[in-house]
Structures are given as structure tokens and as C-alpha cells.
Amino acid sequence: MSLLEVRNLKKVYRTRFGGHAVEALRNVSFTVEAGEYVAVMGESGSGKTTLLNILAALDKPTAGTVLLEGRDFSKIRESDVATFRRDNLGFVFQEFNLLDTFTVEDNIYLPLVLAGKSWREMSALLMPLARALGIEGILKKYPYEVSGGQKQRCAVARALITSPRIILADEPTGALDSRSSDELLTLFSQVNAQGQTILMVTHSARAASRAGRVLFIRDGEVFHQLYRGETSDDLFYAKIADTLTLLARGGDRV
């Protein structure tokens, strides 16, 4: 059984009075295996954000099914959705979403506090993670006192501390300079090598070239996918760039 299974996903948005319908997703199907690192790419308006929102249990599809370890998202009661999200999904956003009134440490602890963990339990989980991510020295600082790259490392720590089934990353390098982007992507690769499943939405071919597989979305459908295999980052980047060019020209599937 795949870790994540998406079957015939469809999402239609309607105007307030139902006069106009926009089909954001029309027939999306794919699976993600445990331990995979998958990037999702596509032009603006292709349906990437809608797909991510559905996978994050923030939105519901018009039709189709999303299963996480066999559990159907549509069967989760509304009152249990927040708990399900906290216990199974980790999130890394472009804008970090750290609270400036909390220290870095408290920002990372937040999902554990919401889960009712004791300080002793939280500390035991944080310290090895902080060492691995190189943020031990900034735990007592506030987000506005650290760099963008450090903020994103803190956001990754917050996503990882609950041991999520899958990390969903939304343009995680979008607000970073090139050096911080490279550091974050290296960190993602290291985390993935330890068995963490990652699904990342990105516009960056360079970011996607670090993944093991890339899904390309066009007009609400999966247009094509590329597997890295033993390909180098540079060669995989070239293949991704070629596919994006094909997408932009409106070409047929590869």
C-alpha cells in the first residue's frame, strides 16, 4: 500500500451565485511511496496550490479520493481534521509562518504544545533535531533576530518534531537567497535520506532537481512525470527545464 494515494481528483470552484465554474483540477491521480521525495511543478493557474490545499486537508475535492496510509480524507470528521493534520502532516511554507512574539524554541514546540506534550517530552525531541539542523545557538532568539535561512531551518524543525507521515512544502525556497536555498535543499535531501517522505510544490527547476521524482501539472491534470534514478542533479535539471519548455509551448505529453 502506498503512503499517499490520490485517485481521480477533481475540484470545481463556482462563483457566489453559481453562474460560473472554474475547474482547477480535473482528473489527478498519482501515488507517493513511503520515503519518496516528490516535487510538483506547473505554471501559475495549473492547479498546484489547489492540489496542495487538498493534500493538506485544508480544502475538499469536488470528486475523487485522497488516502493517507489507507485513510480516506473524506471520512475524517470535521472536528477531527485539525488533530489529523497535526499528527500526520508537517508543513514548510515560503513565508516561514513563525510567530514573532514566540522564541524560535517556542515556535518549534507549538504543535507539541497543542498535542498536550510535557516540557520534558518536548525538550527530548527538540535537542537532537536542533543539533542536526544547526540551530542550537538560536533557540532563545526571536524570529526577527535571525536570517531567512535560519527561519526556514526553524520551520523545518517545527514540521519534523511531530514525526509526520509526510512533509508538504509550499515553495520553501521562494523567500530565500541562493545560498540559503541550497542549504535548505541539502537539508531536505538529508532528511529524506533518513526516511522522511516529502512532497514539495515549487516553481524552481533547481529545487525540483533535488527531488527523486517530479510531477508536472497542466490545466488541472498530471501532464508528465520524471524519475531521477541515477541521474545527476545537473542532468536532471536539464530534463526538468526541457519539460517546462514543452509545457509553456503547449506541447503534447513527452
Side-chain angles (χ1 to χ4, degrees), residues 202-221:
T202 181
H203 279 98
S204 168
R206 185 61 65 191
S209 70
R210 305 291 287 273
R213 176 162 57 114
V214 182
L215 292 174
F216 297 88
I217 305 290
R218 186 176 75 177
D219 298 331
E221 295 183 281

Side-chain angles (χ1 to χ4, degrees), residues 80-101:
D80 294 334
V81 169
T83 301
F84 170 81
R85 200 181 293 127
R86 185 190 67 222
D87 292 345
N88 294 280
L89 308 175
F91 300 95
V92 180
F93 305 96
Q94 177 177 341
E95 297 299 332
F96 318 127
N97 286 11
L98 300 174
L99 301 174
D100 276 341
T101 53

Side-chain angles (χ1 to χ4, degrees), residues 171-222:
E171 299 286 358
T173 63
L176 302 177
D177 59 34
S178 58
R179 178 179 176 181
S180 296
S181 294
D182 286 343
E183 290 176 352
L184 177 67
L185 294 172
T186 297
L187 178 59
F188 268 20
S189 295
Q190 291 169 347
V191 167
N192 173 249
Q194 294 170 6
Q196 177 64 60
T197 309
I198 301 172
L199 187 144
M200 172 179 65
V201 167
T202 181
H203 279 98
S204 168
R206 185 61 65 191
S209 70
R210 305 291 287 273
R213 176 162 57 114
V214 182
L215 292 174
F216 297 88
I217 305 290
R218 186 176 75 177
D219 298 331
E221 295 183 281
V222 176

Side-chain angles (χ1 to χ4, degrees), residues 9-170:
L9 213 58
K10 180 178 181 179
K11 180 64 179 181
V12 178
Y13 293 103
R14 297 189 180 276
T15 56
R16 184 176 178 182
F17 299 105
H20 181 64
V22 177
E23 193 174 42
L25 299 175
R26 62 181 58 184
N27 184 31
V28 174
S29 297
F30 64 91
T31 60
V32 177
E33 304 301 322
E36 265 201 291
Y37 182 179
V38 179
V40 178
M41 302 194 75
E43 296 181 315
S44 295
S46 62
K48 303 187 308 298
T49 299
T50 299
L51 174 62
L52 190 68
N53 286 341
I54 291 173
L55 298 183
L58 295 169
D59 197 0
K60 293 185 177 181
T62 304
T65 307
V66 178
L67 304 171
L68 183 67
E69 291 188 325
R71 186 172 184 183
D72 188 339
F73 279 26
S74 67
K75 301 295 194 298
I76 303 171
R77 293 184 301 179
E78 198 66 37
S79 59
D80 294 334
V81 169
T83 301
F84 170 81
R85 200 181 293 127
R86 185 190 67 222
D87 292 345
N88 294 280
L89 308 175
F91 300 95
V92 180
F93 305 96
Q94 177 177 341
E95 297 299 332
F96 318 127
N97 286 11
L98 300 174
L99 301 174
D100 276 341
T101 53
F102 284 14
T103 63
V104 164
E105 182 178 43
D106 289 339
N107 269 284
I108 298 169
Y109 279 155
L110 190 56
L112 298 181
V113 171
L114 295 174
K117 301 293 184 183
S118 69
W119 184 89
R120 186 184 298 273
E121 290 176 291
M122 293 191 297
S123 181
L125 289 169
L126 174 60
M127 295 320 295
L129 194 55
R131 282 193 294 271
L133 298 180
I135 56 173
E136 284 179 286
I138 63 169
L139 291 177
K140 300 301 182 183
K141 292 187 176 183
Y142 289 85
Y144 56 81
E145 297 179 305
V146 302
S147 70
Q150 289 171 322
K151 287 179 185 178
Q152 198 59 293
R153 283 177 175 265
C154 298
V156 172
R158 183 183 55 192
L160 288 172
I161 201 164
T162 58
S163 300
R165 301 292 185 273
I166 186 169
I167 284 182
L168 301 175
D170 184 12

